[in-house]
């Protein structure tokens, strides 16, 4: 029987996940399909029940459901449980729903693919404290980035992640802007800049250190306002596309026990998004 997969979120029309996974299915001669499903928060429980009834083999989870979906799953991977956020659901052979988080490792692979592995001693500023932020914070710590600061509009939410990490500090967005020159790596992890949403900046980059590495997890548009401002300040920028492809490839592996070609997919999507 043909397998089917999905991505759920609100909004969802911007997602390139269907194009990516369906190309991989075709390249690897796998009889499967992948569809986008718009799921508002108040319909999340009903959507998951529907997926189970209709026999979905698995799905990805994007904003704003990464934490909210957890009560509806049967079990969590150890790392997803620690992060408190899920972006990939696998339907096991026993019919149970198991949650994973591939965001964090996908981001680290993308970052190190772009700038190498020699920057782990640099102070890191993580901007945002949502589901993706939790995943990235835990993965960066796991991969050896130990000097972490999380900035968020609500400092208590950032502090909650720091408390779970057991190291680092939480600051306000205003404090982050004031002390920007202290950081060698910045990671923008909010939805600011999404092509379907708000093009505002979390704060000004006027005090950004020259030569800083600036990453954004938003990939559509490829060059967000945050990255454009970073380029103007002489920073090395890392778009969200690499993270998107790598986290998808890891999810693909969880579903089908095969690993797709990430290099060709990054090149394909970059061309679609207007990148060079």
């Amino acid at each position: 029987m043909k397998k089917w997969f999905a991505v759920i979120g609100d909004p969802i029309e911007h997602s390139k996940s269907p194009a990516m996974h369906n190309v991989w299915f075709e390249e690897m001669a796998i009889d499967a399909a992948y569809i986008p499903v718009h799921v508002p928060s108040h319909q999340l429980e009903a959507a998951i029940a529907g997926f189970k009834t209709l026999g979905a083999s698995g799905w990805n989870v994007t904003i704003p459901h990464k934490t909210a979906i957890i009560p509806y799953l049967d079990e969590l991977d150890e790392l997803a449980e620690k992060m408190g956020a899920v972006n990939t659901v696998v339907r096991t052979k026993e019919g149970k729903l198991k949650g994973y988080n591939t965001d964090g490792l996908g981001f680290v692979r993308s970052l190190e693919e772009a700038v190498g592995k020699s920057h782990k001693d640099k102070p890191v500023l993580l901007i945002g404290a949502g589901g993706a932020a939790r995943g990235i914070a835990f993965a960066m710590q796991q991969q050896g980035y130990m000097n972490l600061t999380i900035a968020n509009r609500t400092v208590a939410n950032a502090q909650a992640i720091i408390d779970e990490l057991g190291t680092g500090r939480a600051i306000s967005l205003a404090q982050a802007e004031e002390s920007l020159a202290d950081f060698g790596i910045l990671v923008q992890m909010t939805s600011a800049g999404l092509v379907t949403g708000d093009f505002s900046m979390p704060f000004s980059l006027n005090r950004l250190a020259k030569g800083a590495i600036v990453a954004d997890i938003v990939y559509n548009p490829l060059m967000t306002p945050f990255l454009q401002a970073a380029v103007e300040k002489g920073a090395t920028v890392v778009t969200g596309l690499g993270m998107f492809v790598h986290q998808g490839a890891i999810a693909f592996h969880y579903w089908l026990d095969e690993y797709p070609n990430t290099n060709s997919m990054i090149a394909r999507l970059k061309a679609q998004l207007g990148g060079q």
Side-chain angles (χ1 to χ4, degrees):
M1 187 174 77
K2 184 170 184 169
K3 294 179 184 251
W4 70 275
F5 303 86
V7 56
I8 64 170
D10 182 19
I12 202 61
E13 60 270 13
H14 67 284
S15 178
K16 294 291 185 183
S17 289
M20 176 169 71
H21 285 282
N22 285 318
V23 167
W24 280 337
F25 293 150
E26 186 176 346
E27 285 179 347
M28 301 172 74
I30 295 170
D31 188 18
Y34 185 110
I35 61 171
V37 181
H38 177 229
V39 179
S41 294
H42 70 279
Q43 294 179 344
L44 180 60
E45 184 176 8
I48 294 166
F51 278 16
K52 291 175 74 172
T53 300
L54 295 172
S57 295
W59 59 91
N60 289 126
V61 183
T62 189
I63 293 170
H65 305 314
K66 293 185 180 186
T67 299
I69 197 171
I70 290 175
Y72 307 119
L73 303 178
D74 298 306
E75 56 184 306
L76 296 180
D77 170 71
E78 183 180 353
L79 194 55
E81 186 169 13
K82 193 175 181 183
M83 294 172 177
V86 164
N87 80 330
T88 299
V89 177
V90 176
R91 187 171 190 152
T92 68
K93 291 179 181 177
E94 297 74 31
K96 291 187 175 182
L97 300 182
K98 185 170 183 178
Y100 294 83
N101 193 305
T102 69
D103 278 333
L105 184 55
F107 172 77
V108 174
R109 285 187 184 177
S110 171
L111 177 69
E112 294 183 347
E113 191 173 70
V115 301
K117 300 182 179 182
S118 61
H119 305 283
K120 297 187 178 184
D121 59 336
K122 291 185 176 179
V124 178
L125 176 65
L126 305 176
I127 306 155
R134 295 174 69 84
I136 288 171
F138 277 100
M140 290 193 79
Q141 182 191 56
Q142 186 185 59
Q143 298 298 315
Y145 297 82
M146 302 307 295
N147 191 347
L148 301 178
T149 297
I150 302 178
N152 196 51
R153 183 177 289 108
T154 304
V155 179
N157 293 348
Q159 187 62 53
I161 299 175
I162 291 296
D163 290 344
E164 292 176 43
L165 286 171
T167 184
R169 63 193 177 113
I171 60 177
S172 68
L173 295 179
Q175 289 173 304
E177 183 173 354
E178 187 72 21
S179 59
L180 211 52
D182 297 340
F183 299 99
I185 301 175
L186 276 70
V187 187
Q188 202 294 114
M189 305 181 297
T190 75
S191 58
L194 265 178
V195 73
T196 57
D198 184 6
F199 274 85
S200 65
M201 294 269 291
F203 48 69
S204 166
L205 296 185
N206 285 340
R207 301 186 182 210
L208 184 67
K210 190 170 184 181
I213 297 165
V214 178
D216 199 323
I217 69 168
V218 172
Y219 67 89
N220 188 11
L222 201 58
M223 285 298 292
T224 63
F226 195 77
L227 292 184
Q228 289 172 8
V231 168
E232 291 172 6
K233 299 297 292 184
T236 297
V237 301
V238 181
T239 73
L241 185 57
M243 171 186 168
F244 167 68
V245 172
H246 282 291
Q247 64 78 27
I250 298 166
F252 189 100
H253 179 70
Y254 284 143
W255 292 328
L256 296 162
D257 202 28
E258 296 190 55
Y259 208 89
N261 187 323
T262 54
N263 290 334
S264 64
M265 184 56 64
I266 289 172
R268 174 191 289 259
L269 291 176
K270 188 180 289 186
Q272 289 181 14
L273 294 167
Q276 299 301 313

